[in-house]
Each structure stands twice: as C-alpha cells, then as structure tokens.
Amino acid sequence: QVQLVESGGGLVQAGGSLRLSCAASGSTFNSYVMGWFRQAPGKEREFVATLAWSGGSTYYADSVKERFTISRDIAKNTMYLQMNNLKPEDTAVYYCAANPYGTIWRIEWTAYRYWGQGTQVTVSS
C-alpha cells in the first residue's frame, strides 16, 4: 500500500521560505506522477505543482511559478517543495499526492489516488 508522509510545514513571515518533504513508500514510483496541492479554509483544494517521478518534468500553478520548486530524490523516495518569497495567501494545508499513471498536466485533485495527511503552512504578514 502506498503511503505518503509530509513534513516541514510551519509558521513563517511573509517573504520567508519553507521546504516541505513528502516521503513515499509502498511501491516503485517510476511511472508515477506526484503532486503538491493545498487547501485554505473555506476554499477548494487546488493544484500547486506536479512532477513526473521518472523523467523529472514539472508543472506549476501560475500563482507559485518562479517562487516554488518541486523536486525529488529518487534514492530517498522523497519529494520536496521549496517555497520562497512566501505570501499570506499561500497559507493553507499542503498535501502531497501520487498517481500511478497520467501526465503532469493532470491537475484536478480528484484524479490522484494516494494522499498524505497534510502539513500546515501559515504565512504571517
């Protein structure tokens, strides 16, 4: 069974940085598409970034482009989200997700089969 465990959330001031980690286990992920999504209070879960585990291709939401970087360490089976120049509107619970097939352009959260428990990111102004 695939398990995803996020870590690295916290409280940071606007303009600061955080790095989220997502440790994956329970499968070989060569064909997987992985993603980060977030959900703010009262809002729907939204796409942040996706990554093709094998080739490393990435895709970003416009709202985070040039500020966030998604990456992975294949040897550690871990995915990362480096978040720089954080803004108060980035405040949300961040989830990592995985799907055994698909493309990085599949950004609907309902398309992803496996989810982590989420980690809170709070950006103060």
Side-chain angles (χ1 to χ4, degrees), residues 45-97:
R45 192 167 299 191
E46 66 174 6
F47 156 72
V48 175
T50 50
L51 172 144
W53 189 264
S54 179
S57 300
T58 59
Y59 185 54
Y60 295 92
D62 287 343
S63 58
V64 307
K65 207 173 292 184
E66 307 298 334
R67 299 188 298 123
F68 291 11
T69 302
I70 188 172
S71 64
R72 87 283 194 233
D73 185 326
I74 293 175
K76 295 182 178 180
N77 263 11
T78 300
M79 178 175 67
Y80 303 99
L81 186 68
Q82 177 66 44
M83 306 185 291
N84 298 330
N85 191 21
L86 282 159
K87 304 176 180 180
E89 51 264 42
D90 294 319
T91 295
V93 177
Y94 283 70
Y95 297 91
C96 67

